[in-house]
Amino acid sequence: MRAEYAHCPNLTIIDTPGFVLKAKKGEPESTPEEILSMVKSLASPPHRILVFLQQSSVEWCSSLWLDTIREIDPTFRRTLIVVSKFDNRLKEFTERWEVDRYLSASGYLGENTHPFFVALPKERTAVSNDEFRRQISQVDSDVVRHLKENVKGGYDEEKYKSHIGFGCLRDYLEAELQKRYKEAAPATLALLEQRCSEVTAQLNIMDSKLQATSDVAHLRRSSMLFASSICNHV
């Protein structure tokens, strides 16, 4: 999907099929391998940001596709890991150490890679954009409040608060995109300048040809040379 808007840079979003272990009934047996090959191919260009989405019901030790992501982006430099439906997981936490251990993904992602934990409104009725944004904000607040009030000792806010909630994910993505656009600006400008120089040279050539058409003697010589060339070929 290509998103274009007057007040922000253009953005292309590629939504790949989800990973599967086994082909469904009626599908070719090679479907899992084909999906994996497709994802690797699409994720390989170094300028692309990878958003790896995983439900909160999946344990880190059972995440079969982290190895694939690590193969594509070993340091997770351009990979964003998002844990969805985090509200469904909250009821399992009773003490702080349980929450902090889960949020850290200790031993699976490394010290400098922190996933985002998000939940979305469960209401599926059609609402306005403003109302949907309000609902998302409300869900974010409810999740944070639950961690503070219903978990003994709360959680490590200093370390994890900036990664809990859809609003935090949105702010991070917007900042990351802005940074990448700024980094790409010099190379983009150089390409534009090169293209402008090429077009200017082409215009100068065409202008010379147009000016030559006003010289009748030059046109007569050109036509005679052209006619002579045809006769030689014949």
Side-chain angles (χ1 to χ4, degrees), residues 47-112:
H47 66 281
R48 289 180 176 167
I49 298 176
L50 313 181
V51 181
F52 176 60
L53 187 65
Q54 177 172 280
Q55 291 191 25
S56 63
S57 58
V58 179
E59 300 293 341
W60 293 114
C61 60
S62 303
S63 181
L64 303 176
W65 311 114
L66 275 179
D67 288 340
T68 301
I69 297 300
R70 195 176 285 110
E71 181 183 340
I72 299 170
D73 183 25
T75 61
F76 294 100
R77 185 185 64 83
R78 56 189 183 93
T79 299
L80 197 63
I81 298 177
V82 180
V83 178
S84 65
K85 301 182 180 179
F86 185 52
D87 51 337
N88 294 339
R89 187 72 186 240
L90 292 178
K91 57 182 177 292
E92 300 181 14
F93 302 130
T94 57
E95 298 190 22
R96 174 170 177 157
W97 68 268
E98 296 175 313
V99 181
D100 289 349
R101 184 177 67 176
Y102 178 75
L103 296 179
S104 69
S106 179
Y108 299 101
L109 302 179
E111 291 297 323
N112 298 321

Side-chain angles (χ1 to χ4, degrees), residues 1-225:
M1 182 186 77
R2 182 171 175 79
E4 297 182 358
Y5 183 50
H7 305 292
C8 70
N10 297 337
L11 176 67
T12 300
I13 300 173
I14 302 174
D15 184 16
T16 63
F19 291 118
V20 294
L21 289 174
K22 188 177 180 180
K24 294 180 180 179
K25 185 178 180 180
E27 292 181 345
E29 291 296 325
S30 60
T31 297
E33 290 76 18
E34 290 178 358
I35 291 177
L36 184 59
S37 176
M38 176 197 297
V39 171
K40 286 183 177 180
S41 175
L42 291 172
S44 293
H47 66 281
R48 289 180 176 167
I49 298 176
L50 313 181
V51 181
F52 176 60
L53 187 65
Q54 177 172 280
Q55 291 191 25
S56 63
S57 58
V58 179
E59 300 293 341
W60 293 114
C61 60
S62 303
S63 181
L64 303 176
W65 311 114
L66 275 179
D67 288 340
T68 301
I69 297 300
R70 195 176 285 110
E71 181 183 340
I72 299 170
D73 183 25
T75 61
F76 294 100
R77 185 185 64 83
R78 56 189 183 93
T79 299
L80 197 63
I81 298 177
V82 180
V83 178
S84 65
K85 301 182 180 179
F86 185 52
D87 51 337
N88 294 339
R89 187 72 186 240
L90 292 178
K91 57 182 177 292
E92 300 181 14
F93 302 130
T94 57
E95 298 190 22
R96 174 170 177 157
W97 68 268
E98 296 175 313
V99 181
D100 289 349
R101 184 177 67 176
Y102 178 75
L103 296 179
S104 69
S106 179
Y108 299 101
L109 302 179
E111 291 297 323
N112 298 321
T113 304
H114 299 293
F116 284 85
F117 300 87
V118 303
L120 292 176
K122 297 185 182 298
E123 184 68 36
R124 297 306 182 196
T125 57
V127 295
S128 66
N129 289 337
D130 290 339
E131 173 60 18
F132 188 58
R133 292 191 184 97
R134 188 198 67 78
Q135 291 180 6
I136 291 177
S137 180
Q138 183 62 50
V139 171
D140 287 350
S141 299
D142 292 343
V143 168
V144 172
R145 186 183 306 110
H146 181 95
L147 290 173
K148 288 182 178 180
E149 299 177 359
N150 298 335
V151 176
K152 186 178 179 180
Y155 72 105
D156 191 339
E157 293 187 46
E158 183 179 353
K159 191 172 184 179
Y160 301 116
K161 187 175 181 179
S162 62
H163 284 72
I164 296 178
F166 191 86
C168 293
L169 171 62
R170 179 195 60 206
D171 293 343
Y172 179 87
L173 270 173
E174 288 179 349
E176 190 69 14
L177 287 172
Q178 287 292 340
K179 182 179 75 174
R180 289 173 181 270
Y181 280 121
K182 289 179 180 178
E183 290 174 350
T188 303
L189 181 60
L191 287 173
L192 289 173
E193 290 176 343
Q194 178 185 348
R195 181 58 180 154
C196 285
S197 297
E198 292 173 352
V199 171
T200 300
Q202 292 174 359
L203 286 174
N204 290 335
I205 293 173
M206 296 303 297
D207 187 55
S208 298
K209 290 182 177 180
L210 288 173
Q211 290 181 3
T213 59
S214 61
D215 185 348
V216 178
H218 175 78
L219 289 175
R220 185 176 291 112
R221 283 196 304 273
S222 296
S223 60
M224 291 177 66
L225 290 172

